[in-house]
Each structure stands twice: as structure tokens, then as C-alpha cells.
């Protein structure tokens, strides 16, 4: 889908990764390890956003990137409003707690 970005008339593509921090609190039981786990997950998410941005730029379009913390459902909707986008493409690694 990336080669079609310039033909779609997009000036800039926002790339977002949501770090669902509450799942770490639940799964780690509020342990002291939670901040370290969240920090590591944030590094992984930042790298994933950077790789996606590179793909968008290679396809001929500008890209912005961000990693946000919070509930995925809320963060995705908030980002759609913030960036005033018409379409949201969502990918998953199968590790999240996103509900329909």
C-alpha cells in the first residue's frame, strides 16, 4: 500500500504506536518492574514507528511519528481527531488487548 500514498494526494502521513500501559500494571501486579518493562516497550514502539516512517518517506511522502501511552481505543480515536485523518489503518502484533 505504501507506493500508492503519493497518488492518494496525501501531504503527510502520521504514524502512531499506542503503548497500552495499563496492561503492564495489570500483568505485573503493580510491581517495581513495571517502569522498566514500559521503558523497553517504548523503545520497541519507537523503533517500529521509525521503520514505518522510513517506508512512507521511501514511497515519496512526508511522515510524522509518535508513540503515545494510554488505552488503545481512546488513543487511536484521539489521534484521528488530532491529525484530522479520514482513514485509520491499524496493525497488530497479536499481543494487545484491543476490544471491538
Amino acid at each position: 500500500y505504501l507506493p500508492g500514498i503519493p497518488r492518494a494526494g496525501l501531504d503527510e502521513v502520521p504514524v502512531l504506536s499506542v503503548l497500552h500501559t495499563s496492561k503492564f500494571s495489570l500483568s505485573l501486579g503493580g510491581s517495581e518492574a513495571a517502569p522498566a518493562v514500559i521503558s523497553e516497550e517504548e523503545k520497541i514502539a519507537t523503533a517500529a514507528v521509525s521503520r514505518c516512517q522510513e517506508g512512507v518517506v521511501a514511497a515519496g511522502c512526508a511522515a510524522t511519528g509518535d508513540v503515545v501511552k494510554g488505552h488503545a481505543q481512546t488513543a487511536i480515536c484521539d489521534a484521528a481527531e488530532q491529525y484530522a485523518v479520514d482513514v485509520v489503518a491499524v496493525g497488530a502484533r497479536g499481543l494487545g488487548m484491543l476490544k471491538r
Side-chain angles (χ1 to χ4, degrees):
Y1 64 89
L2 290 177
I5 288 174
R7 290 190 305 273
L10 301 173
D11 294 324
E12 187 171 65
V13 174
V15 177
L16 178 74
S17 182
V18 179
L19 191 58
H20 196 145
T21 53
S22 64
K23 77 175 181 181
F24 298 116
S25 297
L26 293 172
S27 65
L28 296 173
S31 73
E32 293 179 16
V37 171
I38 291 171
S39 176
E40 185 61 29
E41 287 295 315
E42 193 166 15
K43 289 177 188 174
I44 292 167
T46 299
V49 167
S50 293
R51 284 191 307 275
C52 190
Q53 282 181 276
E54 290 170 5
V56 171
V57 170
C61 193
T64 60
D66 197 10
V67 175
V68 297
K69 295 177 184 174
H71 290 279
Q73 302 94 315
T74 305
I76 292 167
C77 291
D78 289 347
E81 287 181 19
Q82 176 186 344
Y83 291 106
V85 296
D86 295 321
V87 175
V88 176
V90 180
R93 298 184 306 168
L95 303 175
M97 297 171 48
L98 194 67
K99 298 178 183 176
R100 290 180 182 246

